[in-house]
Amino acid sequence: MKEKIENSTINSALFTDFYELTMAQGYWKNDMNQDVVFDMFFRRQPFNGGFSIFAGLDTLLDAITDFTFSESDIEYLKSQKIFEQEFLDYLKDFRFSGDMWAFKEGSVIFPQEPVIRIHANLIEAQIVEGLILNHINFQSLIATKTARVWLASKKGAIMEFGLRRAQGNDGAMSATRAAFIGGAAGTSNTLAGKLYDIPVMGTMAHSWIMAFPTELEAFEAYAKLYPTNAVFLIDTYDTLRSGIKNAIKVGAKLVEQGLNFGVRLDSGDISYLTTEVRKELDKAGFTQAKICVSNELTEEIIETLVQQNTPINSWGVGTHMVTGGNEASFTGVYKLAARFDKYSGKNEPAMKFSDNPEKNTNPGIKNVYRLYDENGNAKADIIALEDEVIETNKDYRYYHPMVDYRQFTFNASKVEPMLSKVVENGNRVSPKLPAGTVLRNAHSLMQKQLESLDASYKRILNPHIYKVSLTEAMKNLKMDFIQKRIK
């Protein structure tokens, strides 16, 4: 049990909304446990941004392939006095036995496109809804936030320092994992460093310096202990009058030994102070000494400092990165897309309607394709029906997902399918890889896919909107549903 807690994986199938279970009993009692298809997608980009990063898949696979009701879980449900014993007996043998299709972890993703597709019986598909959304929504939010911070720093060295401000212990673990996918070079979270094979970083806090009689003695003691990792926190008392001066005194002795040192600021006017600190270091001949900053940093602050050519070598980002900052949640949802009809003997498309047109769903079993031009630039993502094939070097007309007048024609030099099967009959399709390998692969994919996007989509403010469109067949199916509803 201890290892499961450490890995932030909840294996009890009680980790679902209660109404999923009341509906499940209704399906069971009415003999409605037919095969269905559900899509997970999200409705809008967080942070008013131009892209999102898909994260949380590997932890989801761990959970969904080991998702069962224990004896105590069944007893708890029995105590609610709402479930029949025969249904509880059915749940005793519950496990997810369906198939899952998903984007690769670390992928750049956009609104409306299904990033996960579930094929299962109705009861199983409903019970795992909360599990899927919980894993993907939070980690995708944090990975996206981190990618924005990373881009704002001009792909600089980002250190994730958010453990103490994260939303509980699982929030801290998940956030660290997602932040690494999004561009963080390392973390202060030691347990995450162990479990996810992520570099751990950090040197001292203000309390270290205050515990010694003088700031100079604190720096000297630290340099003696860790001569190859000496980064001095210089703003405990006075950054320019004492902090940098004492850091230079101690740093000089390290340089004499052929070593280097750095300094960190955690308060004050970062632009002004780092500029003055850089002058002092250079004047002393320590041009190789590094400057790190922290203190409630956001992508907007970092972008401004970079544009001002502020002399900063690395960034410690905590609160705003691991909590989502001004964005509380990722807007991922899970909707029925098709259900097996015993009369027709095949899967029939399903569509949700809403008084808010943007909440109307796209019916049917769908695939997603990314289209590239001759230069390798991603130009659009296309939502197609499962049996459609999009060929290269051929003109196709695509339509806005809201089924309005907007459309465009494109001839793709490369067509990349974005969904692949990751679970079959309740088991992983591919062997489980070490956590560190998974995260490094996802991090590399994130970089590669962001590189394929035009800079206009990656602007921190007012980004260009990337095209997500429907094929003609997909558009016609959706229009057919709308017309039937109007009648």
Side-chain angles (χ1 to χ4, degrees), residues 215-216 219-220 223 230-234 238-257 259-264 273-291:
E215 184 178 55
L216 180 62
F219 289 172
E220 288 174 333
V231 178
F232 306 117
L233 184 59
I234 60 175
D238 190 307
T239 299
L240 299 180
R241 292 183 181 180
S242 66
I244 187 57
K245 296 184 184 301
N246 286 323
I248 286 173
K249 288 179 183 177
V250 178
K253 298 176 183 178
L254 292 172
V255 173
E256 288 176 0
Q257 301 172 47
L259 302 171
N260 197 15
F261 70 100
V263 298
R264 179 165 74 92
L273 289 174
T274 54
T275 300
E276 293 303 308
V277 165
R278 184 76 265 165
K279 289 178 184 177
E280 292 295 318
L281 290 169
D282 292 349
K283 185 168 64 175
F286 304 133
T287 57
Q288 300 303 310
K290 307 294 186 182
I291 300 176

Side-chain angles (χ1 to χ4, degrees), residues 341-354:
D341 184 89
K342 62 182 179 181
Y343 299 107
S344 67
K346 60 181 181 179
N347 284 314
E348 296 292 346
M351 179 177 175
K352 174 187 176 292
F353 288 86
S354 172

Side-chain angles (χ1 to χ4, degrees), residues 22-94:
T22 58
M23 288 191 297
Q25 179 170 246
Y27 297 144
W28 171 82
K29 193 170 181 63
N30 288 285
D31 194 25
M32 290 177 59
N33 200 20
Q34 69 266 35
D35 289 342
V36 294
V37 177
F38 274 80
D39 291 337
M40 183 199 165
F41 61 94
F42 68 108
R43 290 197 169 108
R44 63 171 179 82
Q45 297 287 16
F47 317 111
N48 295 314
F51 67 89
S52 291
I53 304 298
F54 181 62
L57 179 63
D58 199 63
T59 57
L60 170 61
L61 295 182
D62 281 344
I64 205 169
T65 54
D66 190 22
F67 200 56
T68 58
F69 292 95
S70 68
E71 290 185 13
S72 64
D73 292 339
I74 298 297
E75 286 301 312
Y76 173 77
L77 292 177
K78 185 176 182 179
S79 74
Q80 301 304 298
K81 301 186 185 307
I82 193 174
F83 298 107
E84 297 183 11
Q85 185 60 50
E86 290 82 359
F87 176 65
L88 295 177
D89 290 340
Y90 165 81
L91 293 183
K92 288 179 181 179
D93 297 321
F94 174 87

